[in-house]
């Protein structure tokens, strides 16, 4: 899908992020699966992740709420100005009502229409693109886009090939209408359902409900063919990046900062190397948080902005990849 330039555009007014309090370090896995801190660090770059604790009131919804509050506060936008709320998540608090409508109620955003979006790790970029379309078409003025997950709730803690990889967290962006140059320049989104089995949660929904005799708890958890996904993730993020650069008539030399989906440091490094991007022009937080799926891009952008690495007027390229399969890239003048 290609987005064309319209008189109105949407500006990313501010971002925010929030992570659970509990830090889980790699060594903790050594007591219940056959793994090591050394293996996890060297094969993925992950050193720790955050795990939501429902006893502390930490769920996808509350993480989203905190990230949203940071972004709204920084943007100087009141919740009652929001006309659209979208939450990219595969771990909603409940299937119905959506996390987004619950968030609308908690924030006090009565003018917003709200829904959840299922595009796995690409959920934030997909949501941002929808918000951009509504804003650019002149239909709405402000939107709140969230990527949030509590993947700890769908991890099989006995499967060493997946349990060490994921973490919980939320990222948020507030978008507003602009006629200026600081806007989303181009977004491209892609899917390929033929590869759906590479990353899935097969049981627990309508195909095999919890009351079905076939239901298996281990299959209501993330199943992943990591090695196959690895190669596709790199190739597709690079292709999507090339497409948004071409749309904007730019090359990587015109881009100030790059943010790649945080699944594995080796994927990030290979993408950066292929695009000739030096380490100081990328952001990495997979070491601290693991793969937080839809939350990674907005949380990285927030952290990079707070660290002064991304400044007003900078051009930022973000690329993502996830289950579905889904992937995409976006070029933004911040
Ligand atoms: N500890 C120790 N050994 C392990 C572990 C572990 N935690 N996990 C796997 N191994 C073993 C394997 O069993 C295998 O052993 P074998 O050779 O005896 O069979 C060996 O390590 C190598 O396994 P690989 O799968 O080849 O390891 P690889 O280097 O590919 O790393 C990983 C695996 C980290 C999953 C990597 O493939 C990856 O990051 N893939 C991409 C993940 C991704 O991008 N997902 C998409 C987004 S996620 C989303 O949408 C929610």
């Amino acid at each position: 899908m290609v987005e064309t330039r319209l008189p109105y555009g949407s500006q990313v007014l501010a971002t925010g992020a929030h992570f659970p309090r509990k830090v889980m370090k790699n060594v903790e896995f050594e007591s219940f699966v056959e793994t090591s801190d050394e293996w996890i660090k060297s094969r993925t770059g992950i050193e720790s992740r955050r795990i939501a604790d429902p006893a502390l009131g930490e769920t996808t919804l509350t993480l989203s709420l905190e990230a949203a509050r940071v972004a709204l506060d920084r943007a100087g936008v009141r919740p009652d100005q929001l006309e659209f709320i979208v939450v990219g998540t595969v771990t909603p608090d409940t299937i119905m009502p959506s996390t987004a409508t619950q968030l609308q109620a908690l924030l006090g955003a009565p003018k917003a229409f709200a829904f959840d979006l299922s595009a796995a790790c690409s959920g934030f970029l997909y949501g941002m693109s929808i918000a951009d379309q509504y804003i650019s078409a002149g239909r709405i003025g402000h939107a709140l886009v969230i990527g949030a997950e509590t993947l700890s709730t769908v991890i099989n803690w006995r499967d060493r090939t997946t349990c060490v990889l994921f973490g919980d967290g939320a990222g948020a962006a507030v978008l507003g209408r602009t006629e200026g140059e600081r806007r989303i320049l181009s977004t491209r989104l892609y899917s390929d359902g033929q590869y759906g089995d590479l990353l899935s949660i097969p049981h627990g929904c309508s195909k095999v409900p919890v009351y079905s005799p076939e239901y298996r708890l281990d299959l209501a958890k993330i199943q992943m063919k990591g090695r196959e996904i690895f190669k596709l993730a790199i190739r597709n993020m690079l292709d999507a990046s090339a497409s948004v650069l071409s749309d904007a008539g730019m090359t990587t030399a015109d881009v100030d900062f790059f943010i790649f989906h945080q699944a594995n440091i080796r994927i990030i490094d290979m993408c950066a190397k292929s695009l000739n991007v030096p380490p100081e022009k990328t952001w990495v937080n997979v070491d601290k948080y693991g793969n937080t799926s839809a939350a990674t891009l907005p949380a990285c952008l927030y952290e990079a902005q707070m660290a002064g690495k991304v400044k007003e007027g900078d051009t930022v390229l973000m690329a993502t990849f996830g289950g579905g399969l889904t992937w995409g890239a976006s070029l933004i003048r911040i």
Side-chain angles (χ1 to χ4, degrees):
M1 191 181 85
V2 185
E3 296 179 4
T4 47
R5 193 181 164 100
L6 298 158
Y8 289 127
S10 26
Q11 183 181 349
V12 177
L13 298 174
T15 51
H18 188 77
F19 292 91
R21 265 169 274 184
K22 187 185 169 201
V23 179
M24 183 174 183
K25 290 188 181 298
N26 289 347
V27 284
E28 294 179 50
F29 288 93
E30 292 175 8
S31 64
F32 58 90
V33 282
E34 203 179 309
T35 191
S36 66
D37 176 39
E38 201 283 325
W39 191 95
I40 302 169
K41 251 197 286 207
S42 63
R43 302 310 293 161
T44 71
I46 299 166
E47 294 177 20
S48 62
R49 72 285 296 137
R50 300 291 182 91
I51 304 294
D53 183 351
L56 298 174
E58 291 172 335
T59 66
T60 298
L61 174 62
T62 64
L63 299 177
S64 302
L65 178 65
E66 294 308 320
R69 281 184 173 145
V70 174
L72 285 164
D73 194 45
R74 291 184 61 232
V77 170
R78 298 184 316 274
D80 65 13
Q81 291 175 273
L82 294 172
E83 291 172 280
F84 176 42
I85 298 173
V86 58
V87 179
T89 187
V90 291
T91 47
D93 277 32
T94 50
I95 296 290
M96 190 166 66
S98 69
T99 311
T101 54
Q102 295 180 70
L103 182 61
Q104 175 202 20
L106 290 176
L107 282 171
K111 280 200 291 186
F113 69 99
F115 59 84
D116 289 357
L117 185 158
S118 172
C121 300
S122 308
F124 174 79
L125 214 62
Y126 270 54
M128 191 177 76
S129 176
I130 296 168
D132 181 25
Q133 293 295 325
Y134 271 100
I135 291 171
S136 300
R139 299 300 296 267
I140 62 169
H142 290 98
L144 172 65
V145 184
I146 305 274
E149 302 287 7
T150 45
L151 290 173
S152 61
T153 61
V154 288
I155 283 172
N156 178 353
W157 294 97
R158 293 196 187 126
D159 176 7
R160 69 173 182 175
T161 68
T162 52
C163 71
V164 301
L165 303 175
F166 300 103
D168 302 335
V174 176
L175 270 54
R177 193 189 300 170
T178 182
E179 290 174 51
E181 290 303 308
R182 290 173 56 203
R183 58 167 70 190
I184 295 171
L185 302 173
S186 173
T187 302
R188 289 218 184 197
L189 306 175
Y190 306 89
S191 310
D192 190 346
Q194 286 185 87
Y195 294 107
D197 286 350
L198 294 185
L199 188 51
S200 64
I201 302 176
H203 287 192
C205 281
S206 60
K207 189 179 172 193
V208 187
V210 286
Y211 52 79
S212 157
E214 284 146 50
Y215 176 79
R216 276 174 47 190
L217 185 57
D218 60 322
L219 294 178
K221 309 287 179 179
I222 291 179
Q223 318 288 310
M224 187 170 80
K225 298 196 174 83
R227 210 176 298 178
E228 287 89 328
I229 290 183
F230 193 95
K231 290 176 235 153
L232 287 166
I234 296 167
R235 195 175 72 212
N236 290 336
M237 282 200 283
L238 290 176
D239 286 352
S241 301
S243 297
V244 291
L245 286 169
S246 161
D247 290 342
M250 290 185 183
T251 69
T252 48
D254 301 311
V255 178
D256 299 294
F257 207 77
F258 296 78
I259 298 174
F260 301 106
H261 175 52
Q262 307 282 304
N264 187 318
I265 191 68
R266 291 185 290 136
I267 294 177
I268 298 166
D269 285 348
M270 284 186 199
C271 286
K273 204 170 157 204
S274 300
L275 295 175
N276 220 3
V277 174
E280 63 273 17
K281 282 191 169 191
T282 61
W283 194 259
V284 172
N285 68 16
V286 71
D287 54 337
K288 284 188 292 182
Y289 303 126
N291 178 352
T292 57
S293 182
T296 76
L297 293 186
C300 280
L301 182 55
Y302 169 69
E303 289 186 342
Q305 288 181 304
M306 296 312 282
K309 289 284 210 168
V310 171
K311 298 175 284 300
E312 260 183 32
D314 278 355
T315 302
V316 177
L317 193 155
M318 301 204 289
T320 190
F321 184 85
L325 298 177
T326 58
W327 67 97
S330 189
L331 196 61
I332 306 168
R333 183 149 310 123
I334 292 293

